[in-house]
Amino acid sequence: MAAEKGTPTGGQAGDGQNRTTSSAAPSERQPLKRPFWLGIRGKLIAIFIVIKVIPLILLCWLAWHEVDSLGNQIERRTALMVEETRKLVKEVGRKAGEDSIRALDLKSREAIERLTTDTARQVADFLYQRDQQILLASHLQPSEDRYRKFLKPLTRPVLDHGTWKLREDRWAPAEQEPPQTDTVATEVPDNRTDWHYRPPERQGRPVSTPLYAEISFVGLDGVEKIKVTTVPWLSPKLRDITRRENTFCKAETYGSFLRLLKPGEVHVSDVIGAYVPSRIIGPYTEEAARKRGIPFQPEKEAYAGKENPVGIRFQGIIRWATPVVDAGRVVGYVTLALDHTHLNEFTRTIVPTDERYTAINDAASGNYAFIWDYKGRSICHPRHHSICGYDPQTGKAATPWLDAEIYQSWKGSGLELEQFLSQAPQFSSPSLKRKPAAELTKAGWVGLDGRFLNFAPQCRGWHELTSKGGSGSFLIFWTGLWKLTTAATIPYYTGRYADSPRGFGYVTIGADVNEFHAAATESSEQLQKLAEGYVNMVDRENSLAQQEIDYSLASTAQSLSFSTLVMAAFVIAVAIWMAAVLTRRITAVISGIRLFQSGRLDHRLEANSNDEMGDLARSFNEMADELQSSIRRVVESELREKTKEKDALIAYNAGLFESASSYFHNIGNSLAGINGKLLNIRRVLESGTQYPEAFRMLREAHEEAVAGGGKDDRTPELLARLEEILLNRALPRIAENLEAITRTQNHMVQTIKFQQDMFNTSRQRNVKFVQTINLAEMIENVMEDFQPTLAKHKISVHLELDRGISVKSQKNPLVHGFTNIIKNAIEAIDAGAGEKREIRVDLFGKPGDRERAVIRVVDSGVGIRPEDMPFMFHSGFTTKADGHGLGLHSLLNFLNENNGSIKIASPGPNSGAELLLEIGNE
């Protein structure tokens, strides 16, 4: 857009005026290079092709089209028959497969929903049994011995899957059990139809495990009086349980509920236990640890079934409490802490496939069951790192696995996690498109709290299915598989769970849908193979018929194409010969015109023929003669005009010089007179150096006369002589010279005033040297003068000038004012600290008034403070240390008096400045 100064261009601006750009115009106009087909020869050849070759091709195409249509009709009818047969066979196979799959889906869904509901009821029955046992324990006389006897028979088997080891980067049992090969056959013939035998289920080795991890008696003061524990991870010390830090994992709050219980009422806590993290989700192998960049230490990460069978297991409790009554009054409280292992056992062994049960679950298969509490938190899961827990150091809930958006909001809020989650929306717009927080995944904090697990939308689905205490199922695409997932409310409504429609929580089961489709899919594939075989046979027959048709069509097309090509080649050859003859003379004319354009104005065309080409050459020669004469006249006229302008300028400058010389001569004479008068005053003052001696002599004479009794006292006589010297000689001479200096000063003032009046009078009488000024040339000349300074200060200049703009005005004041503006811009840029060092000058006509020109100067200098803006054109105002404050003021006065104006603007300090000069004709 911007260009270097003074470089013309041959292009046209939008308003039709020449613009200054960065590319130099070539010294000689280059011939226009055009494609061959855009020339006359190409066009003539094209005309012959259109009127001769194209009709031949159309005739050939019509013949081919008729033959091809016949072949296509036969092909379409055959293809339609084949396609309809294919669709019919495929539709039969597809419909049979879909019906089989749908029937099995409904059957499988019903079976899994029934399994989920049965499991939820079993859990509820198990929990209600704990209610009965806590009430039974409340009738025992509190003592450690009775409590131990009470706990001893209360055990339940827990399946032990044995030792597992990592083999070839896969976990496997240390001891492989031999497969069962025995089978059972019926001896009754009537029972042999679809006889099916299943070997006994192998669910691991059952280990008898205490139901309760602890029983305690708490006094009315909240201090434990008796405590019996059955696990090593619970402290046997007696503590004040009203203080949370004295409870398990510092997270239990049952101490504040005890006093609210009435006889026969039961308090039941949430699941309490320390959270167990894992930095690997999925099979914990050496390769997985290497990819995550962590040491291979599966025994230090969370247990996860077949994915990590040697990891740390979740250790938690659910505490029951009820008052102990003696003689009709409450004397304390008994508590039972259920070992969480027994609750987890309800879902740990369930497999919703043909396998039915397992001693160790495989979460990676997607076929497993788990339990959520009434709030939507995971409390039983094959992957123990998915179970929500607490930080045993602080007693606060461990950070759950959050989606990335919630995690970033939490970090940005500055709040504690518990306070943030209490305010955060729950189950907010869950979607598979959301992603988990990578920071939590990397740290191993992956506990499942469905309320904030927004990248797993099934959590909200389960919560909605159980919102009214019921059950149900739905399909979801999760971890690359379509899964049937179910949810059923656990109908346990004791204590805090009485107010929840979900009771204790809900059981969920997930199953890979593809495993239930296997039989139907196999049948569907067999039907599809039969259909494809039949379709392939029809396709082969159709292909043979098509080949015969294609061969016939190809032979016909080859014959038609050859004959058409021969005729087209002949026509094109004739067209090329005729075009060459017609365009040879046109080419000669064009070459002569280009020589004339390149500057050879004396070049003329040969005009020997009497045809149209001869007339064209003669007309061009006449035009060239007239144009050459016009150019000569224009050049001579411009030279005369320039000479007149220079003579007038010389005369004007001579007049100014003569006037200035006379003015300075008068001032010089006045200054010489003042110098003489000052010299006289100096002589008088130098004679005053004798006065101290005279006064000393007066004092001595007066003292001698006084000492002699006053005789011969000449003091009055001497004083009279001194008075005469001062009053009659020295002071009059000084006054005379001062009066002369005053007269000379007045004369100088009058001289200066006369000179000013003379210039003002000449200006009032329009005694001005007005000439036509090409503003683009004026700007370029000024910038050329500043070129060394700009290069020294490393300042770039961008000009965009409308070279067709001229005004009638006084040139010298304009040049002086524009020079001062550029000088100010350079100083402003040099005083700044910015990296951008640039001056931009634009010249354009005022929109709506082409008789007025606008010059815009923009610099990247220090800018102007807002408080200085009102004073920029005041006389004497300057922001520079060595400035006089007259430049802009003088330019403003000139423009105001000569049909112009000036404006200045700046965004502020260090933001540069912009000046707009508007100039009209005087």
Side-chain angles (χ1 to χ4, degrees):
M1 181 177 73
E4 292 299 322
K5 175 182 72 64
T7 307
T9 178
Q12 296 297 317
D15 56 0
Q17 300 297 330
N18 294 329
R19 296 279 183 180
T20 298
T21 64
S22 59
S23 60
S27 61
E28 183 176 307
R29 183 179 180 88
Q30 299 296 325
L32 178 62
K33 295 182 180 180
R34 64 174 64 85
F36 171 77
W37 290 106
L38 294 180
I40 295 178
R41 181 179 299 180
K43 292 177 180 178
L44 289 173
I45 294 173
I47 291 172
F48 274 95
I49 291 175
V50 169
I51 64 177
K52 294 293 184 180
V53 176
I54 292 180
L56 287 174
I57 295 175
L58 287 175
L59 288 173
C60 178
W61 179 83
L62 287 173
W64 160 252
H65 178 69
E66 292 301 324
V67 175
D68 184 60
S69 296
L70 178 60
N72 288 337
Q73 289 179 6
I74 297 174
E75 180 182 356
R76 283 196 299 270
R77 291 183 180 278
T78 305
L80 180 61
M81 179 184 66
V82 173
E83 184 63 25
E84 291 298 326
T85 303
R86 181 187 290 111
K87 287 182 179 179
L88 177 62
V89 175
K90 286 187 175 181
E91 182 64 19
V92 171
R94 184 191 64 80
K95 184 64 175 176
E98 287 183 354
D99 290 345
S100 299
I101 292 173
R102 181 59 180 167
L104 285 176
D105 278 349
L106 295 175
K107 182 178 179 181
S108 300
R109 184 179 69 181
E110 179 62 29
I112 296 177
E113 286 187 4
R114 176 63 181 270
L115 176 61
T116 308
T117 304
D118 289 347
T119 303
R121 289 180 177 179
Q122 290 172 12
V123 172
D125 292 342
F126 176 76
L127 297 175
Y128 277 123
Q129 291 173 15
R130 308 288 75 76
D131 291 352
Q132 298 301 319
Q133 289 182 346
I134 188 65
L135 293 174
L136 181 61
S138 69
H139 294 290
L140 296 176
Q141 184 67 29
S143 73
E144 182 176 344
D145 182 60
R146 290 188 179 89
Y147 284 171
R148 287 188 184 277
K149 291 179 180 180
F150 177 78
L151 291 182
K152 186 175 182 180
L154 300 179
T155 61
R156 201 166 185 266
V158 174
L159 295 180
D160 180 13
H161 55 64
T163 305
W164 284 58
K165 292 184 178 180
L166 191 65
R167 295 174 181 172
E168 298 180 356
D169 216 33
R170 292 185 64 183
W171 291 100
E175 298 179 0
Q176 295 286 352
E177 295 184 4
Q180 295 187 16
T181 58
D182 296 337
T183 184
V184 175
T186 180
E187 296 180 358
V188 180
D190 293 339
N191 296 335
R192 290 174 185 171
T193 303
D194 203 15
W195 175 267
H196 179 258
Y197 168 75
R198 184 181 181 95
E201 307 291 346
R202 293 184 175 180
Q203 303 179 21
R205 182 175 61 88
V207 178
S208 181
T209 306
L211 270 173
Y212 298 103
E214 175 188 293
I215 184 172
S216 65
F217 176 75
V218 181
L220 296 178
D221 56 357
V223 178
E224 294 173 326
K225 309 301 182 182
I226 303 171
K227 180 187 291 185
V228 176
T229 60
T230 62
V231 293
W233 37 271
L234 283 178
S235 173
K237 295 181 180 180
L238 302 177
R239 296 179 176 176
D240 181 0
I241 54 86
T242 60
R243 300 177 61 183
R244 184 169 175 169
E245 62 271 19
N246 291 334
T247 63
F248 179 52
C249 289
K250 301 181 181 179
E252 292 189 272
T253 60
Y254 68 97
S256 61
F257 291 98
L258 294 181
R259 293 187 178 182
L260 303 178
L261 294 175
K262 297 178 181 179
E265 291 183 342
V266 177
H267 166 78
V268 188
S269 71
D270 292 336
V271 174
I272 305 295
Y275 177 70
V276 187
S278 176
R279 291 171 289 178
I280 293 179
I281 301 175
Y284 198 120
T285 62
E286 293 180 350
E287 178 65 16
R290 184 187 63 79
K291 289 182 179 180
R292 289 299 304 272
I294 62 175
F296 178 67
Q297 297 175 330
E299 68 282 355
K300 294 185 178 181
E301 305 280 346
Y303 173 87
K306 289 183 180 180
E307 295 177 339
N308 183 10
V310 299
I312 303 172
R313 295 174 182 261
F314 178 82
Q315 295 175 336
I317 63 171
I318 303 175
R319 189 178 295 276
W320 273 259
T322 191
V324 176
V325 179
D326 185 12
R329 63 184 184 86
V330 176
V331 296
Y333 307 92
V334 64
T335 74
L336 283 172
L338 174 69
D339 189 341
H340 171 270
T341 302
H342 296 286
L343 182 65
N344 195 55
E345 199 70 7
F346 279 95
T347 56
R348 185 177 70 87
T349 60
I350 293 177
V351 181
T353 62
D354 291 342
E355 188 180 355
R356 296 185 185 176
Y357 302 99
T358 180
I360 180 170
N361 222 321
D362 183 11
S365 69
N367 299 314
Y368 57 92
F370 42 104
I371 299 178
W372 304 78
D373 71 3
Y374 62 106
K375 292 182 179 179
R377 300 174 298 185
S378 174
I379 56 175
C380 293
H381 200 283
R383 293 168 172 165
H384 285 205
H385 56 70
S386 296
I387 300 175
C388 291
Y390 293 83
D391 183 351
Q393 301 299 322
T394 63
K396 295 181 179 179
T399 303
W401 206 11
L402 306 174
D403 72 66
E405 183 178 339
I406 294 181
Y407 179 80
Q408 294 300 329
S409 298
W410 169 40
K411 287 300 181 181
S413 68
L415 301 175
E416 292 289 337
L417 176 64
E418 183 178 358
Q419 183 181 1
F420 173 79
L421 292 182
S422 66
Q423 303 172 4
Q426 300 178 2
F427 301 101
S428 177
S429 302
S431 171
L432 292 173
K433 296 180 180 180
R434 293 177 177 263
K435 301 298 180 183
E439 296 86 348
L440 296 177
T441 306
K442 183 177 180 180
W445 296 92
V446 290
L448 304 183
D449 188 335
R451 297 173 296 177
F452 311 106
L453 212 64
N454 291 331
F455 56 87
Q458 60 268 36
C459 294
R460 181 168 178 175
W462 297 324
H463 216 63
E464 290 171 339
L465 282 175
T466 57
S467 60
K468 295 184 179 180
S471 61
S473 63
F474 56 92
L475 289 174
I476 187 168
F477 190 75
W478 180 251
T479 63
L481 299 172
W482 277 104
K483 295 182 66 175
L484 173 66
T485 181
T486 62
T489 301
I490 300 174
Y492 174 72
Y493 301 101
T494 298
R496 68 176 61 200
Y497 304 108
D499 297 329
S500 170
R502 298 175 182 85
F504 183 76
Y506 42 93
V507 175
T508 61
I509 296 180
D512 182 2
V513 172
N514 291 328
E515 293 192 17
F516 299 103
H517 291 173
T521 302
E522 183 179 357
S523 299
S524 177
E525 290 176 354
Q526 292 176 356
L527 289 172
Q528 290 297 328
K529 287 181 180 179
L530 292 174
E532 289 297 332
Y534 178 78
V535 169
N536 291 336
M537 182 271 293
V538 176
D539 286 342
R540 284 194 300 270
E541 294 299 325
N542 182 49
S543 178
L544 292 174
Q546 182 63 38
Q547 289 176 6
E548 294 294 333
I549 296 173
D550 290 343
Y551 177 77
S552 177
L553 292 175
S555 299
T556 305
Q558 187 175 8
S559 300
L560 290 172
S561 299
F562 178 75
S563 60
T564 303
L565 287 175
V566 170
M567 289 186 290
F570 176 75
V571 172
I572 291 174
V574 172
I576 293 174
W577 174 77
M578 294 183 66
V581 172
L582 293 174
T583 58
R584 188 178 297 115
R585 294 181 64 190
I586 296 176
T587 304
V589 172
I590 293 174
S591 299
I593 293 174
R594 286 175 177 167
L595 287 174
F596 186 84
Q597 289 177 327
S598 65
R600 295 178 57 182
L601 302 180
D602 56 346
H603 179 76
R604 299 295 181 270
L605 301 178
E606 294 183 4
N608 299 326
S609 63
N610 293 323
D611 56 7
E612 287 81 358
M613 295 301 299
D615 294 340
L616 176 63
R618 283 187 289 273
S619 298
F620 173 80
N621 292 338
E622 293 173 1
M623 179 194 69
D625 293 339
E626 181 63 27
L627 181 61
Q628 190 173 14
S629 299
S630 298
I631 291 174
R632 186 181 295 110
R633 288 194 298 271
V634 170
V635 171
E636 291 175 354
S637 176
E638 288 184 353
L639 288 174
R640 286 194 299 271
E641 185 66 24
K642 291 291 184 180
T643 302
K644 289 180 181 180
E645 290 181 2
K646 288 183 179 179
D647 291 343
L649 181 62
I650 291 171
Y652 178 77
N653 289 336
L656 290 178
F657 177 77
E658 182 178 355
S659 176
S661 297
S662 175
Y663 166 72
F664 285 115
H665 179 73
N666 293 334
I667 296 299
N669 291 339
S670 300
L671 290 175
I674 291 174
N675 189 49
K677 301 303 179 181
L678 292 174
L679 181 62
N680 292 334
I681 293 174
R682 180 178 180 182
R683 290 173 181 172
V684 173
L685 294 177
E686 286 178 350
S687 65
T689 56
Q690 302 175 2
Y691 294 150
E693 180 65 20
F695 282 114
R696 184 187 63 77
M697 293 175 62
L698 279 172
R699 285 194 302 273
E700 291 178 354
H702 179 67
E703 289 174 356
E704 289 179 359
V706 171
K711 296 179 178 182
D712 301 326
D713 186 3
R714 299 181 58 196
T715 300
E717 180 183 352
L718 294 174
L719 288 174
R721 291 181 60 187
L722 183 60
E723 179 181 6
E724 180 184 0
I725 292 172
L726 291 174
L727 297 179
N728 298 330
R729 297 181 185 179
L731 293 180
R733 289 182 62 186
I734 292 174
E736 180 182 354
N737 283 281
L738 287 176
E739 184 178 355
I741 290 173
T742 301
R743 288 196 302 272
T744 303
Q745 178 186 8
N746 292 333
H747 177 70
M748 290 174 62
V749 171
Q750 292 297 324
T751 301
I752 294 172
K753 186 174 185 302
F754 173 78
Q755 194 70 23
Q756 290 176 336
D757 292 341
M758 181 184 69
F759 281 109
N760 291 335
T761 301
S762 65
R763 190 163 54 203
Q764 293 171 359
R765 295 177 181 178
N766 293 324
V767 182
K768 302 175 183 178
F769 182 64
V770 177
Q771 57 182 314
T772 300
I773 305 170
N774 187 300
L775 294 177
E777 292 181 0
M778 182 197 79
I779 292 171
E780 290 173 344
N781 292 335
V782 172
M783 299 310 298
E784 184 67 28
D785 294 339
F786 276 100
Q787 195 59 41
T789 304
L790 294 168
K792 178 181 178 181
H793 292 273
K794 298 180 179 180
I795 299 173
S796 62
V797 176
H798 299 277
L799 305 179
E800 186 167 347
L801 311 176
D802 188 337
R803 307 188 62 81
I805 295 181
S806 298
V807 297
K808 292 181 179 180
S809 185
Q810 302 178 62
K811 186 174 184 178
N812 285 343
L814 281 179
V815 171
H816 178 73
F818 184 76
T819 301
N820 188 59
I821 289 174
I822 300 302
K823 176 175 175 292
N824 289 343
I826 293 173
E827 292 173 350
I829 294 174
D830 201 45
E835 295 181 359
K836 184 177 180 182
R837 301 173 67 81
E838 178 184 86
I839 297 176
R840 179 183 182 88
V841 181
D842 299 328
L843 170 63
F844 51 90
K846 183 178 180 181
D849 187 359
R850 295 292 299 173
E851 296 298 320
R852 300 181 69 80
V854 179
I855 301 176
R856 178 169 58 211
V857 181
V858 182
D859 66 70
S860 59
V862 294
I864 304 172
R865 299 182 303 174
E867 57 267 27
D868 293 339
M869 191 64 70
F871 310 101
M872 293 305 297
F873 296 105
H874 286 197
S875 177
F877 179 80
T878 180
T879 59
K880 297 181 290 186
D882 55 348
H884 50 70
L886 296 177
L888 290 179
H889 176 70
S890 300
L891 179 58
L892 174 67
N893 290 338
F894 169 77
L895 292 174
N896 288 341
E897 295 173 1
N898 294 276
N899 193 21
S901 66
I902 182 172
K903 298 178 182 178
I904 190 168
S906 172
N910 299 316
S911 300
E914 177 183 20
L915 279 89
L916 285 175
L917 283 78
E918 185 176 327
I919 306 169
N921 295 323
E922 291 193 14

